Amino acid sequence: MSTSSAASRTAVPADARVGPSARMPDEPFRSRHWLRAGWLMTASGWSANQFSALLGAYRGDLGLTTATTTALFAVYVLGLIPGLLLGGPLADRLGRRPVVFTALGTAALATCLLMAGPAAAWLLWPGRFLTGLGAGALLTAGSVWIKELSSAPYDTTAAPGTAARRSGLFLSAGFASGGLAAALIAQWAPAPMVTAYVPHLVLSAAAAVAAARAPETVRTAAPGRAPEAAAETGREPGGAGARAAFRRLVAPLAPWVFAAPTIAFVTLPGLVGDRLDGWQTVYAGVATAITPGAGLLVAPLARHLAARHRLATAVTGLAAVAAGLLAAALAVAYTQPAVALFAAVVLGGGYGLCVAYGLTEVAALAPPHRLARLTARFWTLAYLGFFAPYGITLLSARFSPQTVLAAAAALAVLTLGAVVRGARRDRR
């Protein structure tokens, strides 16, 4: 996007646009706009994770192989990446509202295709692809919308970093509740691979109603007006300095954001399932819930760490990921479902810290008119972690799963070192 075209869609506070005579809504109502938009993130997380808890049911009832179900899980990312890459620029150009509502409708359509899967299994492939496409655009535009609605003039009380934590909390809530609800329905309800998807359609409708009352934050600026703040600070994401900072401080960590939780609730339940005796689906649902649930619980810790040091959240998050992977290797080596759940909790805590750090750093690097684009880059790298279960499945054909998990722990430690070295270079 050129400077002039970017400037034409710069997010401009409403009171700055219309002059001193304009009146904004009363503060209590204005400050709740971020909450109305937040349910979109929950719907996105729900749509992503409702399928995860049903992998065992698809293997048992439809006769799909482990490789096929893992590949279906990964197809989500193939749709997600273009959703992220297109959703960011479109949200900057067209505004947040049209992108999030289109994405929400795409995700709902995808859920309908998944519901038809038991009758026509081939529909699972476009269903998963469209799930990713809708979730990608919704994540990008939705998280940026929450960030802007958590700032003046819409919210004058939020502290720095609050918006990133709000986005992460709503997303984690969707991840946790979507997988657990689908698993419980699949275990006891009739036609489980149809009825398990109904709650997402209800949630999507409720999120649409709530978000309809949130204001658009992107407006047309004065012709020829350039983003002065970005130019003055040198933080423009298109500049060499900001790109280098993103590569050093955010990009190495980003894939672990979702590699950690997907290993916990996609890979581990299958590797310790021999001792579950018919409770595989419920166990998978519990793992799907407690992993992002742990990410919710570490939000106060993330806030405390961020206040102490810029890198403290990243270091602690990656250390937790490494520790969780080591615990996972032990659980698999001795086929211990309880230890695997402990590993899921630790990995979920690492996920929560990493996503809070990543979104906070992105918000610090990006000026308003490019925030959606840089957020899209972060989410694109983060969702590459969804390929981790498939990679572990492939590598396990040659190495033992516990060896692969231990190697992944070592890689997390190396990533930690890379981020620390990058921060030292950034201070020079």
mmCIF file of all heavy atoms in Angstrom, residues 256 259-260 263 317-330 347 392 401-417:
data_model
loop_
_atom_site.group_PDB
_atom_site.id
_atom_site.type_symbol
_atom_site.label_atom_id
_atom_site.label_comp_id
_atom_site.label_asym_id
_atom_site.label_seq_id
_atom_site.Cartn_x
_atom_site.Cartn_y
_atom_site.Cartn_z
ATOM 1 N N TRP A 256 5.669 -20.942 18.141
ATOM 2 C CA TRP A 256 5.432 -21.669 19.392
ATOM 3 C C TRP A 256 4.080 -21.314 20.002
ATOM 4 O O TRP A 256 3.571 -22.057 20.866
ATOM 5 C CB TRP A 256 6.538 -21.389 20.394
ATOM 6 C CG TRP A 256 7.847 -21.990 20.005
ATOM 7 C CD1 TRP A 256 8.961 -21.343 19.557
ATOM 8 C CD2 TRP A 256 8.184 -23.388 20.011
ATOM 9 N NE1 TRP A 256 9.958 -22.237 19.280
ATOM 10 C CE2 TRP A 256 9.512 -23.508 19.558
ATOM 11 C CE3 TRP A 256 7.481 -24.547 20.358
ATOM 12 C CZ2 TRP A 256 10.160 -24.729 19.430
ATOM 13 C CZ3 TRP A 256 8.112 -25.771 20.240
ATOM 14 C CH2 TRP A 256 9.439 -25.862 19.773
ATOM 15 N N ALA A 259 2.127 -24.055 18.275
ATOM 16 C CA ALA A 259 2.763 -25.373 18.307
ATOM 17 C C ALA A 259 2.581 -26.007 19.684
ATOM 18 O O ALA A 259 2.261 -27.203 19.801
ATOM 19 C CB ALA A 259 4.249 -25.259 17.961
ATOM 20 N N ALA A 260 2.753 -25.215 20.740
ATOM 21 C CA ALA A 260 2.653 -25.748 22.108
ATOM 22 C C ALA A 260 1.266 -26.316 22.402
ATOM 23 O O ALA A 260 1.141 -27.481 22.806
ATOM 24 C CB ALA A 260 3.035 -24.668 23.113
ATOM 25 N N ILE A 263 0.231 -29.493 20.137
ATOM 26 C CA ILE A 263 0.907 -30.722 20.572
ATOM 27 C C ILE A 263 0.192 -31.285 21.794
ATOM 28 O O ILE A 263 -0.004 -32.502 21.921
ATOM 29 C CB ILE A 263 2.391 -30.445 20.870
ATOM 30 C CG1 ILE A 263 3.160 -30.184 19.572
ATOM 31 C CG2 ILE A 263 3.021 -31.623 21.613
ATOM 32 C CD1 ILE A 263 4.580 -29.704 19.777
ATOM 33 N N GLY A 317 7.586 -17.619 28.905
ATOM 34 C CA GLY A 317 6.721 -18.418 28.044
ATOM 35 C C GLY A 317 7.467 -19.524 27.319
ATOM 36 O O GLY A 317 7.017 -20.679 27.276
ATOM 37 N N LEU A 318 8.619 -19.200 26.733
ATOM 38 C CA LEU A 318 9.392 -20.219 26.023
ATOM 39 C C LEU A 318 9.972 -21.250 26.978
ATOM 40 O O LEU A 318 10.074 -22.441 26.640
ATOM 41 C CB LEU A 318 10.503 -19.550 25.212
ATOM 42 C CG LEU A 318 10.031 -18.787 23.973
ATOM 43 C CD1 LEU A 318 11.162 -17.965 23.383
ATOM 44 C CD2 LEU A 318 9.467 -19.749 22.925
ATOM 45 N N ALA A 319 10.344 -20.825 28.179
ATOM 46 C CA ALA A 319 10.823 -21.781 29.179
ATOM 47 C C ALA A 319 9.707 -22.750 29.559
ATOM 48 O O ALA A 319 9.942 -23.959 29.730
ATOM 49 C CB ALA A 319 11.334 -21.052 30.409
ATOM 50 N N ALA A 320 8.488 -22.245 29.689
ATOM 51 C CA ALA A 320 7.355 -23.111 29.997
ATOM 52 C C ALA A 320 7.082 -24.085 28.858
ATOM 53 O O ALA A 320 6.760 -25.266 29.088
ATOM 54 C CB ALA A 320 6.113 -22.271 30.282
ATOM 55 N N VAL A 321 7.202 -23.632 27.617
ATOM 56 C CA VAL A 321 7.010 -24.518 26.470
ATOM 57 C C VAL A 321 8.036 -25.653 26.500
ATOM 58 O O VAL A 321 7.696 -26.833 26.300
ATOM 59 C CB VAL A 321 7.106 -23.727 25.151
ATOM 60 C CG1 VAL A 321 7.143 -24.675 23.951
ATOM 61 C CG2 VAL A 321 5.915 -22.772 25.025
ATOM 62 N N ALA A 322 9.294 -25.323 26.747
ATOM 63 C CA ALA A 322 10.340 -26.348 26.808
ATOM 64 C C ALA A 322 10.068 -27.352 27.925
ATOM 65 O O ALA A 322 10.180 -28.572 27.736
ATOM 66 C CB ALA A 322 11.708 -25.694 26.990
ATOM 67 N N ALA A 323 9.683 -26.836 29.100
ATOM 68 C CA ALA A 323 9.389 -27.730 30.225
ATOM 69 C C ALA A 323 8.187 -28.615 29.923
ATOM 70 O O ALA A 323 8.177 -29.819 30.252
ATOM 71 C CB ALA A 323 9.137 -26.908 31.490
ATOM 72 N N GLY A 324 7.164 -28.036 29.290
ATOM 73 C CA GLY A 324 5.989 -28.817 28.939
ATOM 74 C C GLY A 324 6.293 -29.918 27.934
ATOM 75 O O GLY A 324 5.753 -31.029 28.025
ATOM 76 N N LEU A 325 7.163 -29.649 26.987
ATOM 77 C CA LEU A 325 7.534 -30.665 26.004
ATOM 78 C C LEU A 325 8.332 -31.795 26.647
ATOM 79 O O LEU A 325 8.182 -32.966 26.272
ATOM 80 C CB LEU A 325 8.325 -30.018 24.865
ATOM 81 C CG LEU A 325 7.509 -29.111 23.936
ATOM 82 C CD1 LEU A 325 8.427 -28.325 23.011
ATOM 83 C CD2 LEU A 325 6.506 -29.924 23.125
ATOM 84 N N LEU A 326 9.178 -31.464 27.599
ATOM 85 C CA LEU A 326 9.911 -32.515 28.322
ATOM 86 C C LEU A 326 8.949 -33.387 29.127
ATOM 87 O O LEU A 326 9.075 -34.618 29.163
ATOM 88 C CB LEU A 326 10.954 -31.890 29.233
ATOM 89 C CG LEU A 326 12.180 -31.289 28.539
ATOM 90 C CD1 LEU A 326 13.098 -30.621 29.554
ATOM 91 C CD2 LEU A 326 12.948 -32.361 27.757
ATOM 92 N N ALA A 327 7.975 -32.750 29.788
ATOM 93 C CA ALA A 327 6.967 -33.522 30.518
ATOM 94 C C ALA A 327 6.152 -34.390 29.558
ATOM 95 O O ALA A 327 5.796 -35.538 29.882
ATOM 96 C CB ALA A 327 6.049 -32.584 31.298
ATOM 97 N N ALA A 328 5.862 -33.862 28.380
ATOM 98 C CA ALA A 328 5.133 -34.639 27.384
ATOM 99 C C ALA A 328 5.935 -35.858 26.939
ATOM 100 O O ALA A 328 5.379 -36.951 26.754
ATOM 101 C CB ALA A 328 4.806 -33.759 26.180
ATOM 102 N N ALA A 329 7.251 -35.673 26.767
ATOM 103 C CA ALA A 329 8.099 -36.810 26.380
ATOM 104 C C ALA A 329 8.061 -37.907 27.446
ATOM 105 O O ALA A 329 7.988 -39.105 27.124
ATOM 106 C CB ALA A 329 9.533 -36.328 26.151
ATOM 107 N N LEU A 330 8.081 -37.515 28.710
ATOM 108 C CA LEU A 330 7.996 -38.496 29.798
ATOM 109 C C LEU A 330 6.639 -39.193 29.799
ATOM 110 O O LEU A 330 6.550 -40.413 30.001
ATOM 111 C CB LEU A 330 8.233 -37.810 31.143
ATOM 112 C CG LEU A 330 9.662 -37.346 31.427
ATOM 113 C CD1 LEU A 330 9.702 -36.547 32.723
ATOM 114 C CD2 LEU A 330 10.612 -38.541 31.503
ATOM 115 N N LEU A 347 2.190 -26.470 28.894
ATOM 116 C CA LEU A 347 2.230 -25.969 27.520
ATOM 117 C C LEU A 347 1.194 -24.863 27.306
ATOM 118 O O LEU A 347 1.453 -23.882 26.596
ATOM 119 C CB LEU A 347 1.988 -27.110 26.541
ATOM 120 C CG LEU A 347 3.136 -28.116 26.398
ATOM 121 C CD1 LEU A 347 2.678 -29.357 25.638
ATOM 122 C CD2 LEU A 347 4.332 -27.482 25.694
ATOM 123 N N ILE A 392 5.196 -34.063 13.851
ATOM 124 C CA ILE A 392 5.536 -35.100 14.826
ATOM 125 C C ILE A 392 5.082 -36.470 14.332
ATOM 126 O O ILE A 392 5.786 -37.479 14.498
ATOM 127 C CB ILE A 392 4.911 -34.760 16.189
ATOM 128 C CG1 ILE A 392 5.614 -33.535 16.789
ATOM 129 C CG2 ILE A 392 5.003 -35.942 17.155
ATOM 130 C CD1 ILE A 392 4.983 -33.035 18.062
ATOM 131 N N PRO A 401 8.296 -41.176 19.420
ATOM 132 C CA PRO A 401 7.637 -39.891 19.698
ATOM 133 C C PRO A 401 8.288 -39.123 20.847
ATOM 134 O O PRO A 401 8.379 -37.895 20.787
ATOM 135 C CB PRO A 401 6.207 -40.308 20.046
ATOM 136 C CG PRO A 401 6.010 -41.621 19.375
ATOM 137 C CD PRO A 401 7.346 -42.295 19.415
ATOM 138 N N GLN A 402 8.740 -39.847 21.886
ATOM 139 C CA GLN A 402 9.365 -39.139 23.006
ATOM 140 C C GLN A 402 10.673 -38.471 22.597
ATOM 141 O O GLN A 402 11.025 -37.394 23.103
ATOM 142 C CB GLN A 402 9.593 -40.078 24.200
ATOM 143 C CG GLN A 402 10.384 -41.325 23.905
ATOM 144 C CD GLN A 402 9.471 -42.513 23.605
ATOM 145 O OE1 GLN A 402 8.422 -42.342 22.981
ATOM 146 N NE2 GLN A 402 9.870 -43.686 24.063
ATOM 147 N N THR A 403 11.387 -39.069 21.647
ATOM 148 C CA THR A 403 12.610 -38.447 21.145
ATOM 149 C C THR A 403 12.289 -37.173 20.380
ATOM 150 O O THR A 403 12.976 -36.145 20.528
ATOM 151 C CB THR A 403 13.379 -39.428 20.244
ATOM 152 O OG1 THR A 403 13.714 -40.593 21.006
ATOM 153 C CG2 THR A 403 14.642 -38.799 19.692
ATOM 154 N N VAL A 404 11.240 -37.230 19.583
ATOM 155 C CA VAL A 404 10.829 -36.055 18.811
ATOM 156 C C VAL A 404 10.404 -34.930 19.756
ATOM 157 O O VAL A 404 10.750 -33.755 19.550
ATOM 158 C CB VAL A 404 9.692 -36.419 17.846
ATOM 159 C CG1 VAL A 404 9.213 -35.181 17.093
ATOM 160 C CG2 VAL A 404 10.140 -37.489 16.858
ATOM 161 N N LEU A 405 9.656 -35.271 20.795
ATOM 162 C CA LEU A 405 9.210 -34.250 21.749
ATOM 163 C C LEU A 405 10.385 -33.646 22.515
ATOM 164 O O LEU A 405 10.422 -32.432 22.765
ATOM 165 C CB LEU A 405 8.202 -34.860 22.716
ATOM 166 C CG LEU A 405 6.838 -35.219 22.102
ATOM 167 C CD1 LEU A 405 6.026 -36.073 23.060
ATOM 168 C CD2 LEU A 405 6.072 -33.950 21.747
ATOM 169 N N ALA A 406 11.355 -34.477 22.888
ATOM 170 C CA ALA A 406 12.542 -33.956 23.579
ATOM 171 C C ALA A 406 13.335 -33.030 22.664
ATOM 172 O O ALA A 406 13.856 -31.991 23.100
ATOM 173 C CB ALA A 406 13.416 -35.114 24.058
ATOM 174 N N ALA A 407 13.424 -33.385 21.381
ATOM 175 C CA ALA A 407 14.111 -32.518 20.422
ATOM 176 C C ALA A 407 13.370 -31.192 20.266
ATOM 177 O O ALA A 407 13.993 -30.127 20.131
ATOM 178 C CB ALA A 407 14.234 -33.225 19.076
ATOM 179 N N ALA A 408 12.039 -31.233 20.303
ATOM 180 C CA ALA A 408 11.255 -30.003 20.221
ATOM 181 C C ALA A 408 11.518 -29.112 21.434
ATOM 182 O O ALA A 408 11.581 -27.878 21.319
ATOM 183 C CB ALA A 408 9.772 -30.328 20.119
ATOM 184 N N ALA A 409 11.700 -29.733 22.609
ATOM 185 C CA ALA A 409 12.032 -28.953 23.807
ATOM 186 C C ALA A 409 13.366 -28.240 23.636
ATOM 187 O O ALA A 409 13.512 -27.065 24.011
ATOM 188 C CB ALA A 409 12.068 -29.873 25.029
ATOM 189 N N ALA A 410 14.339 -28.939 23.068
ATOM 190 C CA ALA A 410 15.637 -28.312 22.823
ATOM 191 C C ALA A 410 15.501 -27.153 21.846
ATOM 192 O O ALA A 410 16.153 -26.102 21.996
ATOM 193 C CB ALA A 410 16.621 -29.355 22.296
ATOM 194 N N LEU A 411 14.637 -27.310 20.835
ATOM 195 C CA LEU A 411 14.420 -26.238 19.866
ATOM 196 C C LEU A 411 13.783 -25.021 20.523
ATOM 197 O O LEU A 411 14.109 -23.875 20.187
ATOM 198 C CB LEU A 411 13.532 -26.756 18.733
ATOM 199 C CG LEU A 411 13.278 -25.795 17.571
ATOM 200 C CD1 LEU A 411 14.585 -25.371 16.907
ATOM 201 C CD2 LEU A 411 12.351 -26.448 16.544
ATOM 202 N N ALA A 412 12.889 -25.243 21.496
ATOM 203 C CA ALA A 412 12.285 -24.120 22.222
ATOM 204 C C ALA A 412 13.344 -23.350 23.014
ATOM 205 O O ALA A 412 13.308 -22.117 23.084
ATOM 206 C CB ALA A 412 11.184 -24.630 23.148
ATOM 207 N N VAL A 413 14.285 -24.066 23.602
ATOM 208 C CA VAL A 413 15.369 -23.406 24.342
ATOM 209 C C VAL A 413 16.235 -22.586 23.386
ATOM 210 O O VAL A 413 16.642 -21.457 23.703
ATOM 211 C CB VAL A 413 16.218 -24.450 25.094
ATOM 212 C CG1 VAL A 413 17.449 -23.791 25.721
ATOM 213 C CG2 VAL A 413 15.388 -25.132 26.172
ATOM 214 N N LEU A 414 16.518 -23.130 22.208
ATOM 215 C CA LEU A 414 17.290 -22.385 21.218
ATOM 216 C C LEU A 414 16.546 -21.128 20.775
ATOM 217 O O LEU A 414 17.158 -20.074 20.558
ATOM 218 C CB LEU A 414 17.587 -23.280 20.011
ATOM 219 C CG LEU A 414 18.564 -24.430 20.252
ATOM 220 C CD1 LEU A 414 18.673 -25.300 18.996
ATOM 221 C CD2 LEU A 414 19.942 -23.911 20.657
ATOM 222 N N THR A 415 15.237 -21.225 20.650
ATOM 223 C CA THR A 415 14.442 -20.048 20.288
ATOM 224 C C THR A 415 14.541 -18.976 21.366
ATOM 225 O O THR A 415 14.660 -17.780 21.069
ATOM 226 C CB THR A 415 12.969 -20.442 20.085
ATOM 227 O OG1 THR A 415 12.887 -21.490 19.122
ATOM 228 C CG2 THR A 415 12.155 -19.255 19.611
ATOM 229 N N LEU A 416 14.488 -19.403 22.618
ATOM 230 C CA LEU A 416 14.636 -18.464 23.728
ATOM 231 C C LEU A 416 15.955 -17.705 23.606
ATOM 232 O O LEU A 416 16.000 -16.475 23.743
ATOM 233 C CB LEU A 416 14.555 -19.226 25.056
ATOM 234 C CG LEU A 416 14.411 -18.440 26.358
ATOM 235 C CD1 LEU A 416 13.857 -19.351 27.451
ATOM 236 C CD2 LEU A 416 15.740 -17.857 26.826
ATOM 237 N N GLY A 417 17.026 -18.435 23.341
ATOM 238 C CA GLY A 417 18.326 -17.788 23.181
ATOM 239 C C GLY A 417 18.346 -16.818 22.026
ATOM 240 O O GLY A 417 18.945 -15.733 22.108
#
